[in-house]
Amino acid sequence: MATIQVRLLGPVDVTEGDRARPVPGLRRKALLAALALHAGDAVHPDLLIDIVWNGTPPATAKNSLQRHISYLRGVLGGRAAIAVRPHGYVLDLPPEATDLHLAQRLIGESRHPAEPAERAVALRAALALWRGRPLADLAGLRWLDEQAERLAGLELSAREALLDARLALGEHASLVPELARLADEHPYHEQIHHRLMLALYRGGRQVDALAAYQRLRTALATDLGVDPSPALCRLHAAILRQDADLAPPAMGEPARVTGAPAGRPAPSGPVPAQLPMAVRGFAGRRPELARLDALLRAARTSRADQPGTLPIAVVSGTAGVGKTAFAVHWAHRVAGEFPDGQLYVDLRGFADHGCPVDPAAAIRSFLDAFGVPAQRIPVEPTAQAALYRSMLAGRRVLVVLDNARDAAQVRPLLPATPGCLVLVTSRTELTPLVVSEGAHPLTLDLLSTQESRELLAGRLGADRLATDPGAVDDLIARCARLPLALAVVAARAVTRPDFPLATLTAELRRAAEEPDAALDPFDGGDLATDIRAVFSWSYRTLTTEAARLLRLLSLHAGPDIAAPAAASLAGRSAALVKPLLAELARAHLLGELAPGRYACHDLLHRYAAELAHTHDDAGARQRARHRMLDHYLHTADGAARLLDPHRDPITDSAHEPGTVPTVLASYTEALAWFRAERLVLLAAVAQATRTGTDRRAWQLAWTLLDFLDAHAYWHDLAAVQDLAMTAARRLRDRRGEAHAHWGLARARAKLGDHEDARRHFQRALELFEQTGDRTGQAHTRLNLAWVLDRQGRYAEALPHAREALALYQALGHVAGQADGLNAIGWYLTHLGEHRQALGHCRRALDLHQRTGDRRRAAQAWDSLGHVHGNLGDHERATECYRNALALTRQLSIRYDETIVLTHLGSARRAAGDREEARAAWRHALAILEQLNHPDAEAVRVQLAGLS
């Protein structure tokens, strides 16, 4: 079968052997080119849409993209040709399935042979693949135009390399016409004119060689206001004096191309060494330093199929995280790898003092560093950039661009050829550089606790830290592991050598209690070391809406926040808030910890809180807080009723205008939401209680009960119900107080304090009777029976269960009736009334199956298993337990699973199957140990009994 190849070095098409397969339509060709230019890498659909529709896609772009993908798969021979990966589409064709890939390989191969004839063969083969302007039929599409320019530059580089090989072969006379044409096409390209002058001279045309120099000199002076480079001037002087070194090579001897030796020339003129002083006591960052080391190694041994790749690293991170210190530290470590110099500029992209540095000003400073005379520096910025790139061509220079604002500020400062390495730092991720220039992103996070200790030890000495390890840990926590904060506090400790570290931590603790002074201890004495000032430089770059959102996020008490909750906090739609969260994340004022979940460190949180108190009045802050709490309350209420379909709604109040509760569609979604938001919901109850939002506090606590109880978060359950009790009592809300007692009773019972649980249930029953809540009374009667059951007091439990059943029957509460029947059956079998128990449990199971309640159906199966076991039918008991186990596992309720597994193990032991009993009990024990539950000891005893 003929090989399929995508051709980019001319009009875009597909060939199969010698036969062309046209690709009709601009969008299809653009899509094919975009995929082929990323060959082997996944391309996100959003990026493809942006490329194909030139930044202005229609509403139907996603559907059209899929249709075009389908069409191209047909052209390329099948669905596998364009594969779907987690991050987008990838052109999945064999190596050299694009003419570009083949050309790059040939160009790379041309660098290795010592003989110019071999180099020429590879370069001619590569250049033969160009069929005109690259991507010729896609002009006008911005990203593809940039790629076409890059590919044209690759062709010119290959053509220049071929010219050098042919000059080395002595083909001077035959090269003159081609060099003259290239000189006309590139009138300011000094290396082309250099070769033309040399070829003319070696062909016996000294006068023409000198005339070529004069034409270039005139063009440079007239059009750009500069003189020819020193290398060209030296060649001119050598031609004038007919220098012997310019003579053609002897037969079989490769020629020297004067002024452009094959090896790296020794630097002429000054060698810049502009790196700032390295930071004393630099600590940590070993994985990040290793990544930069790997990038440098890869650049030194670049693959043959990727010639001309300029390594660029973009180091980003939040304010104060130590980006400059990191970049300068690494730059000093590797400075010896760059013998032609190290350039450094602070671009002041996020500085309070002065405007961001104009790239043209940075270029002029770099040209000064290389000793370029002022009269040689062109007036036009584009010409200055061209001269800068020319100066770096063929050199090994490290370029550190610190504190960049955006990609537009960086691009003019990038060298055009390999050999150099560019290290950029910025508070934003500079994604456009990653997309278009292939930059390597590297994000600096907060230091680890151990790295923070290393930083402090480097500043204060390990002995001083050893005097009070507890104070050191407290200090690190209060500095949020932010390097700048740690450095400022360390400086304070250095200037007070006789002060115990505990004194400093006490000072930080006192400041944190004052909302307007929380950041006062983190002022190092100037703008660069004042935490407020440093944070403000990022804040001032935000759009108005993003700045408002950052301020409002300080009102959120949880460890992180999901996008829907942020939308309610801001009183905006989710569609409007998502781009604002992305803007804050790009500025590293938020971190996206997981897809759609955001957080910031404690010091940034305090800074945002200060801004909120300054910019947003008390009423606006209170409404935002209410929207946030209502988001959690109404979402949790809906989620709780998905976990238990028979649960009564807890809130009948309307939410604050602007609140957008999340609508969950299934048990699985509700369980996932509770798991993701558990810590946030606990913090929300505490915040609501602390701020006096008492109705929301006790109601939100009640919505959490089923989840926290079923999934063994009993300490959390006790804590939030304590808060709910405080809130309900402040309101004098007897209904709320009853629910809080009920929830506390469940937690106390699960934690083993059955007497306290009975007291709370008894008080809840009294309050439900006072408020006339008969459903609450029935639930509480049934749970009073349950507590007695846990104590083995089945005869006392039975009357409570029967009273509960009577209440449920009077109310027509079917789910409650099923619960009552199951409980009665359970107590009867423990009292020896197994046949009566069997009837009650079967009726309970039938009702639960009719209402579709899987959890309670599992409990009924478990009860039936126990009854059958008591009747001596251990196989029937095993079948019942397995049915219960299947339902419990569907619901992912691990504690319930341990109960069923324990009962299943007992049934199998009674049946004589010791191995299956052991397997069931071991599984139960593993889960109980993960839950750190005291029931684990009883299972260990059962396992020991098998031995």
Side-chain angles (χ1 to χ4, degrees):
M1 182 176 176
T3 302
I4 287 179
Q5 186 180 68
V6 179
R7 299 198 298 179
L8 306 171
L9 304 178
V12 176
D13 64 8
V14 174
T15 62
E16 183 180 6
D18 295 331
R19 184 169 62 88
R21 289 186 178 183
V23 180
L26 175 67
R27 305 302 175 198
R28 287 173 182 161
K29 286 187 178 183
L31 175 58
L32 177 61
L35 289 168
L37 287 163
H38 290 89
D41 294 324
V43 191
H44 195 280
D46 290 347
L47 177 57
L48 289 173
I49 288 170
D50 186 66
I51 292 170
V52 172
W53 279 275
N54 208 27
T56 56
T60 58
K62 286 190 176 179
N63 290 333
S64 297
L65 181 73
Q66 291 171 357
R67 287 197 301 273
H68 293 328
I69 291 282
S70 179
Y71 181 89
L72 290 175
R73 282 171 171 159
V75 173
L76 295 170
R79 182 176 182 81
I82 301 177
V84 180
R85 297 284 186 266
H87 300 296
Y89 294 103
V90 59
L91 186 66
D92 196 5
L93 293 176
E96 300 188 6
T98 70
D99 56 355
L100 173 59
H101 188 285
L102 178 57
Q104 288 175 324
R105 180 179 65 77
L106 290 167
I107 293 169
E109 289 175 357
S110 74
R111 295 176 172 179
H112 303 301
E115 293 300 321
E118 295 177 46
R119 296 201 300 272
V121 168
L123 290 164
R124 283 193 175 99
L127 290 165
L129 296 169
W130 267 266
R131 296 168 291 115
R133 181 184 182 276
L135 312 176
D137 39 8
L138 294 176
L141 299 179
R142 184 183 62 254
W143 187 84
L144 291 167
D145 282 344
E146 292 174 0
Q147 297 305 308
E149 287 300 316
R150 179 176 69 84
L151 299 182
L154 179 64
E155 180 192 17
L156 181 59
S157 296
R159 200 166 294 284
E160 290 181 70
L162 178 58
L163 292 171
D164 288 339
R166 292 178 64 190
L167 280 170
L169 290 169
E171 299 178 14
H172 321 299
S174 59
L175 275 176
V176 168
E178 183 176 354
L179 283 166
R181 177 180 57 78
L182 285 172
D184 287 339
E185 292 173 2
H186 305 278
Y188 311 119
H189 196 304
E190 294 197 14
Q191 291 177 339
I192 291 175
H193 284 79
H194 188 290
R195 295 181 179 94
L196 174 60
M197 291 166 60
L198 189 62
L200 287 167
Y201 178 77
R202 286 181 175 170
R205 299 168 60 180
Q206 180 185 17
V207 173
D208 292 334
L210 295 172
Y213 172 80
Q214 292 301 333
R215 284 195 301 273
L216 174 64
R217 181 183 179 187
T218 301
L220 290 174
T222 303
D223 300 341
L224 304 180
V226 299
D227 292 326
S229 67
L232 207 64
C233 292
R234 286 195 295 272
L235 177 62
H236 176 247
I239 291 171
L240 282 172
R241 65 175 181 266
Q242 299 183 354
D243 195 310
D245 284 343
L246 300 183
M251 204 61 160
E253 176 191 343
R256 290 173 298 158
V257 182
T258 305
R264 187 185 63 81
S268 59
V271 176
Q274 296 185 327
L275 295 178
M277 181 177 66
V279 175
R280 176 178 172 270
F282 181 87
R285 305 297 191 200
R286 294 175 188 85
E288 294 85 355
L289 291 168
R291 285 181 60 187
L292 287 185
D293 290 341
L295 176 62
L296 178 58
R297 285 195 302 272
R300 290 286 169 264
T301 58
S302 60
R303 300 202 313 266
D305 62 347
Q306 288 188 334
T309 302
L310 172 72
I312 306 168
V314 175
V315 178
S316 62
T318 190
V321 82
K323 298 179 293 295
T324 298
F326 170 79
V328 171
H329 176 79
W330 184 79
H332 277 287
R333 274 185 24 171
V334 301
E337 294 281 337
F338 299 93
D340 295 324
Q342 305 90 45
L343 298 174
Y344 172 89
V345 62
D346 178 1
L347 293 172
R348 296 204 302 269
F350 296 87
D352 187 55
H353 49 289
C355 298
V357 172
D358 188 316
I363 287 171
R364 285 195 296 273
S365 72
F366 288 164
L367 293 174
D368 289 342
F370 278 111
V372 179
Q375 63 270 22
R376 278 203 63 220
I377 299 177
V379 175
E380 289 297 319
T382 53
Q384 293 172 5
L387 180 58
Y388 163 67
R389 290 193 295 272
S390 298
M391 291 296 301
L392 266 57
R395 297 178 189 246
R396 282 165 49 186
V397 177
L398 175 62
V399 182
V400 180
L401 308 176
D402 193 18
N403 198 13
R405 189 179 187 88
D406 51 33
Q409 192 184 25
V410 170
R411 281 194 175 109
L413 305 176
L414 298 177
T417 54
C420 299
L421 186 145
V422 180
L423 182 58
V424 187
T425 74
S426 179
R427 295 191 185 184
T428 66
E429 295 174 338
L430 300 185
T431 304
L433 288 182
V434 178
V435 172
S436 297
E437 279 74 21
H440 298 259
L442 195 160
T443 301
L444 293 188
D445 204 343
L446 301 173
L447 294 175
S448 68
T449 301
Q450 180 56 37
E451 289 174 328
S452 300
R453 285 196 190 95
E454 290 174 15
L455 186 151
L456 292 173
R459 304 291 180 99
L460 304 178
D463 291 344
R464 189 169 181 188
L465 266 59
T467 61
D468 194 345
V472 173
D473 290 341
D474 193 9
L475 188 151
I476 289 170
R478 293 188 178 279
C479 291
R481 295 180 284 116
L482 186 71
L484 177 58
L486 288 164
V488 170
V489 172
R492 187 164 301 184
V494 167
T495 59
R496 301 173 182 178
D498 299 328
F499 279 34
L501 294 179
T503 304
L504 288 174
T505 59
E507 182 182 331
L508 297 179
R509 193 180 308 114
R510 286 192 299 272
E513 293 168 358
E514 299 291 333
D516 295 332
L519 297 180
D520 287 355
F522 303 103
D523 181 354
D526 62 13
L527 289 175
T529 56
D530 179 353
I531 286 283
R532 279 195 190 90
V534 171
F535 288 164
S536 74
W537 303 337
S538 291
Y539 176 75
R540 285 201 297 271
T541 69
L542 299 175
T543 60
T544 301
E545 280 290 302
R548 173 179 176 269
L549 178 59
L550 179 67
R551 299 194 303 271
L552 294 181
L553 286 171
S554 71
L555 306 176
H556 186 266
D560 59 7
I561 188 168
S568 289
L569 183 64
R572 304 286 191 264
S573 70
L576 288 176
V577 164
K578 284 181 180 178
L580 302 180
L581 290 167
E583 181 181 346
L584 293 172
R586 284 194 302 272
H588 288 287
L589 292 168
L590 285 183
E592 190 170 8
L593 307 182
R597 298 198 71 85
Y598 300 86
C600 66
H601 62 74
D602 186 53
L603 297 182
L604 263 173
H605 193 275
R606 292 185 214 170
Y607 174 69
E610 287 186 1
L611 292 173
H613 279 80
T614 303
H615 291 76
D616 305 296
D617 61 48
R621 296 198 303 274
Q622 184 182 55
R623 288 190 296 275
R625 223 178 263 114
H626 287 176
R627 287 193 301 269
M628 174 193 68
L629 292 171
D630 281 350
H631 169 85
Y632 289 127
L633 173 59
H634 288 266
T635 304
D637 188 36
R641 284 183 282 124
L642 285 168
L643 297 189
D644 180 0
H646 309 295
R647 191 185 216 275
D648 295 326
I650 192 63
T651 178
D652 53 6
S653 60
H655 49 66
E656 184 81 20
T659 305
V660 188
T662 299
V663 178
L664 303 166
S666 67
Y667 176 95
T668 302
E669 286 186 13
L671 182 57
W673 185 84
F674 271 125
R675 283 175 169 164
E677 300 290 353
R678 179 176 66 89
L679 296 177
V680 174
L681 293 167
L682 298 176
V685 174
Q687 182 181 28
T689 307
R690 188 172 61 252
T691 58
T693 318
D694 291 327
R695 178 185 59 79
R696 292 175 172 92
W698 81 256
Q699 290 183 346
L700 181 55
W702 180 250
T703 66
L704 301 181
L705 188 144
D706 289 340
F707 169 73
L708 295 176
D709 185 15
H711 295 277
Y713 296 112
W714 298 308
H715 290 285
D716 290 345
L717 178 59
V720 294
Q721 297 305 327
D722 266 329
L723 292 170
M725 185 78 72
T726 299
R729 284 175 173 169
R730 275 201 303 245
L731 287 171
R732 293 191 168 92
D733 186 330
R734 288 182 296 172
R735 177 170 172 254
E737 189 178 345
H739 282 296
H741 277 294
W742 207 99
L744 271 170
R746 289 290 299 188
R748 295 283 190 265
K750 290 290 181 71
L751 293 170
D753 190 345
H754 298 110
E755 289 307 313
D756 195 36
R758 283 185 63 207
R759 284 192 293 272
H760 280 294
F761 273 134
Q762 197 62 51
R763 180 56 182 153
L765 182 60
E766 293 169 5
L767 290 166
F768 283 133
E769 287 171 344
Q770 291 172 22
T771 59
D773 186 343
R774 299 178 70 201
T775 303
Q777 293 171 45
H779 292 335
T780 308
R781 287 280 182 193
L782 199 60
N783 276 270
L784 276 167
W786 168 74
V787 173
L788 292 166
D789 166 20
R790 291 176 67 87
Q791 296 174 286
R793 297 159 64 178
Y794 305 112
E796 295 173 66
L798 186 57
H800 284 294
R802 284 179 167 149
E803 286 187 56
L805 178 60
L807 281 167
Y808 285 132
Q809 288 171 334
L811 292 165
H813 196 301
V814 177
Q817 292 173 48
D819 284 339
L821 287 166
N822 190 54
I824 291 169
W826 179 260
Y827 305 141
L828 285 172
T829 195
H830 279 85
L831 294 170
E833 301 291 339
H834 307 311
R835 292 294 171 189
Q836 287 187 55
L838 194 61
H840 280 78
C841 292
R842 281 175 174 167
R843 287 167 59 198
L845 177 61
D846 181 59
L847 287 176
H848 284 317
Q849 288 177 331
R850 277 197 277 159
T851 61
D853 191 325
R854 290 181 290 170
R855 186 182 185 198
R856 289 184 173 91
Q859 292 167 350
W861 277 117
D862 183 73
S863 297
L864 280 168
H866 204 77
V867 175
H868 283 299
N870 287 338
L871 289 168
D873 191 344
H874 302 301
E875 296 305 323
R876 290 284 298 276
T878 297
E879 182 182 350
C880 291
Y881 288 135
R882 285 176 176 157
N883 289 335
L885 192 59
L887 288 170
T888 303
R889 285 174 172 167
Q890 287 176 21
L891 299 172
S892 303
I893 303 177
R894 307 211 72 199
Y895 180 66
D896 284 10
E897 186 179 347
T898 68
I899 294 172
V900 179
L901 284 166
T902 304
H903 293 163
L904 175 61
S906 299
R908 295 320 299 156
R909 183 181 185 184
D913 189 344
R914 296 167 67 86
E915 287 309 310
E916 191 169 348
R918 181 179 287 107
W921 285 339
R922 281 178 174 171
H923 195 170
L925 179 60
I927 297 172
L928 289 166
E929 286 177 340
Q930 289 173 8
L931 297 175
N932 196 27
H933 195 278
D935 286 0
E937 186 56 37
V939 179
R940 289 191 192 98
V941 171
Q942 289 175 301
L943 278 167
L946 283 177
S947 303

